[in-house]
Amino acid sequence: MDLSPLLVGFLVFARMAALLMTLPVTGNREVPQMVRMALALPLATVLYPTVQGAHLPNTIPHLVVAVGGEVALGVAMGFVVTLLTGAVALASEIISAKIGLSMAAMLDPMTGSQGSTLGALAQVLATGLFFTLDIHLDCVRALGDSLHTLPPGQVLAPLAAGNVIFEVATNVFALGVRLSAPIMFFALMVNLALMVLGRMAPGLQLFFSIGTSFTVVAGIVLLGTALPALLQLEGQALEGAFEPMRRIVQEMAGVGH
């Protein structure tokens, strides 16, 4: 009995399941493993007929190595997309700290981490952009293209994606600072003004009586005004997610240079 089609299908399934495991929404801890498997199976079945030139392992150790390479590739491709959706969340955490909202921390049930309410809202907005801009379809398309660039069983350099991931993480951090820069500048000006007024009238206790309330209210109003522009920048970053995914495939295939 020829098991080659079954092995090829299993490798494609491993790559797809690893991608879904790290993408936004499907990678959240609240999504059951069976749901991810149920999504990965039909997608892998659809992509299976496009596979050509698969390198099939002929021993159990080779099979383990091949599956490990497929999982590493899928995880790396999904992780860069998740990083890109984190730019607006990073900006929101910085803004929360600057305008005083970080004092009201909450547990995010989707990620299992503790953060501000503004950060949780930003994560929801980023997830909405992820689906509105059809980035989930781009991810499936990128994985389909990867089956041609790097057929199943031929992942040559599973650690080569580190450079691309580091570059994306650096760009995301820079974007998060850019998104939060207007609010940071506003908070700085307010604090400087309060410091001057406090020196002029020490008995008013501006920092504790007026300063905090004014900073929070004005910061929220300014954030609401700037939110469309911030989401537009985040959307532009997400629309470019296909390129780092393609570069990861090329690096792991050993053709990145």
Side-chain angles (χ1 to χ4, degrees):
M1 180 179 178
D2 186 12
L3 297 179
S4 299
L6 183 61
L7 288 176
V8 173
F10 180 71
L11 293 176
V12 175
F13 173 78
R15 186 181 299 189
M16 178 60 72
L19 175 70
L20 295 179
M21 185 176 64
T22 49
L23 280 179
V25 181
T26 57
N28 292 335
R29 59 183 294 177
E30 295 300 315
V31 178
Q33 294 287 348
M34 292 303 298
V35 173
R36 297 172 189 161
M37 298 300 104
L39 290 174
L41 184 58
L43 290 173
T45 303
V46 171
L47 293 176
Y48 169 79
T50 66
V51 176
Q52 295 180 354
H55 181 73
L56 298 179
N58 50 16
T59 63
I60 296 299
H62 289 165
L63 176 61
V64 173
V65 172
V67 172
E70 298 299 323
V71 170
L73 177 58
V75 167
M77 293 176 69
F79 185 62
V80 293
V81 180
T82 301
L83 280 177
L84 290 172
T85 60
V88 68
L90 172 62
S92 66
E93 293 296 338
I94 297 175
I95 293 171
S96 296
K98 291 300 180 182
I99 67 177
L101 288 178
S102 59
M103 293 182 292
M106 61 172 289
L107 180 65
D108 187 353
M110 298 181 67
T111 62
S113 60
Q114 188 172 1
S116 65
T117 53
L118 187 59
L121 174 62
Q123 196 65 43
V124 172
L125 293 176
T127 302
L129 281 176
F130 176 78
F131 288 106
T132 301
L133 299 176
D134 291 334
I135 307 301
H136 59 297
L137 300 180
D138 288 339
C139 293
V140 176
R141 179 166 64 92
L143 190 133
D145 291 345
S146 73
L147 295 174
H148 299 279
T149 305
L150 189 56
Q154 296 186 11
V155 178
L156 302 179
L159 300 180
N163 293 332
V164 180
I165 293 176
F166 179 78
E167 180 180 337
V168 171
T170 303
N171 293 335
V172 166
F173 180 81
L175 178 60
V177 174
R178 282 180 55 198
L179 294 177
S180 60
I183 313 298
M184 292 173 61
F185 179 77
F186 164 77
L188 176 62
M189 292 297 100
V190 170
N191 289 331
L192 288 176
L194 292 176
M195 182 180 66
V196 173
L197 292 176
R199 296 287 292 181
M200 295 173 60
L204 292 180
Q205 298 294 324
L206 293 175
F207 276 105
F208 300 99
S209 59
I210 302 175
T212 302
S213 300
F214 177 78
T215 303
V216 170
V217 174
I220 292 176
V221 172
L222 182 59
L223 177 62
T225 303
L227 188 60
L230 301 183
L231 292 179
Q232 183 178 5
L233 290 175
E234 174 67 16
Q236 291 174 356
L238 282 174
E239 287 177 339
F242 185 82
E243 178 61 21
M245 296 177 75
R246 183 186 64 83
R247 289 178 54 199
I248 283 177
V249 176
Q250 291 182 342
E251 291 290 339
M252 288 192 173
V255 296
H257 302 288

